[in-house]
RNA sequence: GGACACGUGGCCGAGUGGUUGAAGGCGCGCCCCUGCUAAGGGUGUAAACGGGCAACCGUUUCGAGGGUUCGAAUCCCUUCGUGUCCGCCA
């Protein structure tokens, strides 16, 4: 959520930024609304002040047993004006709020222009793509042949875009979860959280999924929403808080299941585990001072990269262009892992700096050393998507006979297993 | 799901219609004092918004929303949350 006062003072800057997002300029309109709101408020406050004074006098007079008929009649008249002014100013301020809450964050200066992912900018490539002396299979075929991945049964009970992992693949998923959480808690000093998976509107408004993107979410019949990412509960831990600046940065990590309706992605990635309605993900969230968020963003990216480095999976890092940037983000790095069967890199992590965009929506603030209160900055990133990590391992570590080697760092989590092979 | 109770400032906790943004305590800040024993005294200490160069002034806020009233933390309604007991269940 943008600060209306900031927009008012930076009309050109603001509209230029929105233009990069292909959003028509609204700053003049909002600013005008705001000015009329301030005018109404001023008038209203004068009348409220009069009413308060008169009511005090009535109270004093009544205590003395004096007659207050005159005063009471005067205030009664005032009251009508107050009510009508209040209605007007409420409706204008609601309009302003409705305007502001659907305007996305401003892209950072170093976010490339562009309307779709083709304009994303590659900034780093890491690792060697595996060379196979045979035609590498896709992960779903590998899983099927191992008899450890069942899309058909999942479809019978849940429909499309669900999967059942069995036996060693279920273990591999669990191993990945533990491995990632251990790295982030022990090496990167994130605090592990086990949050709710169901949240109310307010939480999703805070992180920016609502009110605009309800179509992408699942809703229960009890007015809860299933979280699309742990970013939602993790970031909302600081909602409505005033945090002493000495307590920052706060770094949280969590393993959760993520639920996404995938409305509008019909036909995309219909095969395999790439795009499911539910998947597990280890998330990273940082709450930092404004001046620290740029550095924290780099740190977060390197924390996510660390996972892929240790798993020895080839990847690249891109900066998302304006057209690909999420609603709440000012700048986003995507980490893309190499998938041999597709002969391309696919997203496995997304690390975003939201600046004060989310913190203003959820009223998350800090008290600095001068005792002043200001919004914190929030960042979130995947560290990393578990399902996609699993499928990347299957594809990158596959052998000709259909077996799959286990990355060295995962062996302790796999009961010492070196390889997943077809059960005899 | 049934019954009852409760939601006040960083925390605890008074406050059932009238100069109450809110006693008192704790905590914290600043200042002072100090050879009567791990202390005493003074003073300050909410947020948001609006106006003002500023000092400062004003408005709103006692879970949230609405209502009654000249006036509401206090009364009424709705709602959310919490606690306890009962029922049910992992």
């Amino acid at each position: 959520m943008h600060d209306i006062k900031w927009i008012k003072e930076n009309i050109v800057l603001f509209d230029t930024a929105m233009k990069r997002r292909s959003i028509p300029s609204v700053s003049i309109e909002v600013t005008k609304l705001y000015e009329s709101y301030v005018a109404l408020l001023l008038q209203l406050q004068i009348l409220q002040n009069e009413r308060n004074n008169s009511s005090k006098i009535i109270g004093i007079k009544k205590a003395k047993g004096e007659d207050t008929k005159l005063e009471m009649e005067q205030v009664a008249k005032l009251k009508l004006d107050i009510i009508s002014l209040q209605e007007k100013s409420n409706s204008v301020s609601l309009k302003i709020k409705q305007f502001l809450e659907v305007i996305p964050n401003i892209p950072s200066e170093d976010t490339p222009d562009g309307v779709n992912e083709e304009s994303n900018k590659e900034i780093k490539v890491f690792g060697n793509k595996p060379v196979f002396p045979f035609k590498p299979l896709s992960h779903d075929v590998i899983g099927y042949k191992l008899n450890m991945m069942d899309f058909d049964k999942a479809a019978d009970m849940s429909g499309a875009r669900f999967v059942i992992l069995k036996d060693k693949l279920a273990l591999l998923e669990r191993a990945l979860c533990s491995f990632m959480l251990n790295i982030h808690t022990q090496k990167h000093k994130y605090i592990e959280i086990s949050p709710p998976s169901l949240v109310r509107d307010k939480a999703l408004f805070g992180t920016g999924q609502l009110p605009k993107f309800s179509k992408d979410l699942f809703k229960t019949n009890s007015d809860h929403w299933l979280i699309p990412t742990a970013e939602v509960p993790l970031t909302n831990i600081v909602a409505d808080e005033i945090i002493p600046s000495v307590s920052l940065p706060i770094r949280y990590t969590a393993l959760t299941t993520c639920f996404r309706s995938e409305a509008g992605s019909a036909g995309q990635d219909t095969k395999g585990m790439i795009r499911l309605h539910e998947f597990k993900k280890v998330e990273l969230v940082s709450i930092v001072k404004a001046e620290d968020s740029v550095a924290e963003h780099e740190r977060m990216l390197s924390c996510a990269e660390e996972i892929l480095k240790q798993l020895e999976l080839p990847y690249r890092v891109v900066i998302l262009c304006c057209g690909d940037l999420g609603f709440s983000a000012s700048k986003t790095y995507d980490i893309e892992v190499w998938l041999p069967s597709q002969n391309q890199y696919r997203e496995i992590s997304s690390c975003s700096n939201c600046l004060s965009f989310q913190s203003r929506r959820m009223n998350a603030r800090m008290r600095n050393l001068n005792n002043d209160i200001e919004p914190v900055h929030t960042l979130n990133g995947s560290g990393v998507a578990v399902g996609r990590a699993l499928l990347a391992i299957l594809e990158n570590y596959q052998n000709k006979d259909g077996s799959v080697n286990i990355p060295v760092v995962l062996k302790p989590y796999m009961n010492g297993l070196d390889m997943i092979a077809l059960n005899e």
Side-chain angles (χ1 to χ4, degrees):
Chain A
M1 186 99 94
H2 295 286
D3 180 2
I4 179 72
K5 281 181 282 187
W6 188 89
I7 296 177
K8 190 182 161 192
E9 273 145 38
N10 298 277
I11 286 184
V12 175
L13 246 168
F14 183 81
D15 281 343
T16 309
M18 286 306 126
K19 197 173 175 190
R20 298 181 71 204
R21 288 253 202 190
S22 310
I23 295 203
S25 64
V26 293
S27 61
I28 303 269
E29 197 173 349
V30 189
T31 301
K32 274 190 180 152
L33 275 175
Y34 179 65
E35 277 163 3
S36 69
Y37 167 71
V38 170
L40 285 166
L41 193 62
L42 205 61
Q43 194 56 34
L44 175 64
Q45 291 186 354
I46 289 167
L47 296 185
Q48 283 172 326
N49 183 226
E50 270 182 57
R51 180 201 57 195
N52 291 346
N53 289 335
S54 300
S55 289
K56 271 180 197 169
I57 290 166
I58 291 170
I60 292 166
K61 282 198 167 186
K62 281 208 163 180
K64 289 182 192 160
E66 293 173 17
D67 180 59
T68 58
K69 201 172 162 211
L70 193 71
E71 285 85 352
M72 283 173 68
E73 276 171 9
Q74 281 176 343
V75 181
K77 257 186 265 168
L78 260 183
K79 201 177 148 186
L80 296 176
D81 293 336
I82 289 176
I83 288 171
S84 102
L85 265 176
Q86 204 143 39
E87 277 166 4
K88 278 184 207 157
S89 82
N90 283 349
S91 105
V92 176
S93 96
L94 182 67
K95 240 187 234 171
I96 294 171
K97 187 172 170 268
Q98 285 168 343
F99 246 109
L100 293 181
E101 66 191 16
V102 295
I103 297 175
N105 204 349
I106 289 176
S108 71
E109 273 181 36
D110 54 348
T111 290
D113 287 320
V115 293
N116 58 36
E117 76 260 11
E118 278 159 36
S119 303
N120 294 347
K121 191 170 124 201
E122 179 179 288
I123 58 167
K124 187 192 287 189
V125 182
F126 188 91
N128 300 314
K129 298 172 187 168
V131 179
F132 297 100
F134 56 92
K135 187 171 179 351
L137 301 175
S138 67
H139 66 277
D140 52 301
V141 174
I142 298 168
Y144 175 79
K145 287 190 166 177
L146 286 168
N147 195 26
M148 296 178 194
M149 190 182 286
D150 193 336
F151 289 96
D152 296 332
K153 270 294 159 199
D156 284 347
M157 63 180 87
S158 303
R161 297 202 188 279
F162 291 91
V163 70
I164 293 169
L165 298 180
K166 288 193 229 174
D167 199 356
K168 300 298 184 294
L169 286 191
L171 175 61
L172 179 59
E173 180 184 60
R174 183 152 56 89
L176 277 166
C177 295
S178 295
F179 161 72
M180 292 181 201
L181 284 170
N182 279 349
I183 296 287
H184 294 316
T185 55
Q186 291 164 24
K187 184 166 184 185
H188 301 143
K189 304 300 174 195
Y190 283 79
I191 296 167
E192 184 170 352
I193 303 286
S194 176
S197 299
L198 294 175
V199 296
R200 293 185 186 285
D201 296 17
K202 182 174 184 262
L204 286 156
F205 179 86
T207 37
Q209 284 81 9
L210 289 182
K212 220 177 164 183
F213 305 101
S214 56
K215 300 73 56 193
D216 300 332
L217 306 168
F218 286 111
K219 190 170 192 181
T220 70
N221 58 11
S222 61
D223 276 343
H224 287 98
W225 303 83
L226 281 86
I227 55 169
T229 159
E231 167 199 346
V232 177
L234 290 184
T235 311
N236 272 283
I237 289 175
V238 297
D240 295 312
E241 294 287 327
I242 300 177
I243 303 159
S245 61
V246 292
S247 305
L248 299 174
I250 294 171
R251 299 190 177 104
Y252 292 133
T253 184
L255 163 68
T256 68
T257 307
C258 304
F259 302 91
R260 299 188 181 177
S261 73
E262 296 300 343
S265 48
Q268 289 177 45
D269 303 309
T270 49
K271 269 176 72 80
M273 287 179 62
I274 289 263
R275 191 178 297 278
L276 302 177
H277 284 308
E278 76 166 89
F279 58 94
K280 291 181 174 61
K281 180 160 61 74
V282 170
E283 183 75 359
L284 306 171
V285 160
S286 296
I287 314 296
V288 304
K289 295 181 221 168
E291 61 266 34
D292 295 340
S293 71
V294 169
E296 183 71 13
H297 195 195
E298 301 302 317
R299 182 187 192 274
M300 181 175 272
L301 173 65
S302 70
C303 291
E305 283 185 66
E306 178 70 16
I307 298 296
L308 298 185
K309 282 179 181 165
Q310 292 210 19
L311 291 173
E312 298 181 84
L313 289 169
Y315 68 87
R316 65 171 192 162
V317 178
V318 301
I319 303 188
L320 295 193
C321 73
C322 291
D324 217 13
L325 198 61
F327 180 76
S328 296
S330 160
K331 177 180 173 182
T332 297
Y333 292 119
D334 267 11
I335 303 178
E336 299 178 338
V337 70
W338 179 251
L339 292 190
S341 76
Q342 299 194 359
N343 200 40
Q344 63 171 332
Y345 289 102
R346 295 300 304 264
E347 177 188 342
I348 194 168
S349 169
S350 196
C351 297
S352 300
N353 186 355
C354 300
L355 307 177
S356 60
F357 187 83
Q358 292 180 322
S359 62
R360 266 198 294 269
R361 292 173 83 93
M362 66 175 71
N363 207 22
R365 297 151 295 168
M366 55 163 264
R367 192 182 293 279
N368 66 28
L369 296 175
N370 292 329
N371 247 357
D372 295 326
I373 289 172
E374 53 180 299
V376 294
H377 279 195
T378 64
L379 304 96
N380 63 77
S382 352
V384 300
V386 177
R388 289 189 181 178
L390 184 139
L391 73 88
I393 288 169
L394 295 188
E395 296 202 3
N396 283 280
Y397 281 82
Q398 64 181 297
N399 299 312
K400 190 176 182 189
D401 63 2
S403 63
V404 175
N405 299 331
I406 304 295
V408 176
V409 292
L410 288 184
K411 287 180 186 175
Y413 298 91
M414 293 290 288
N415 307 324
L417 205 66
D418 290 319
M419 163 192 290
I420 298 175
L422 189 62
N423 286 320
E424 293 309 321

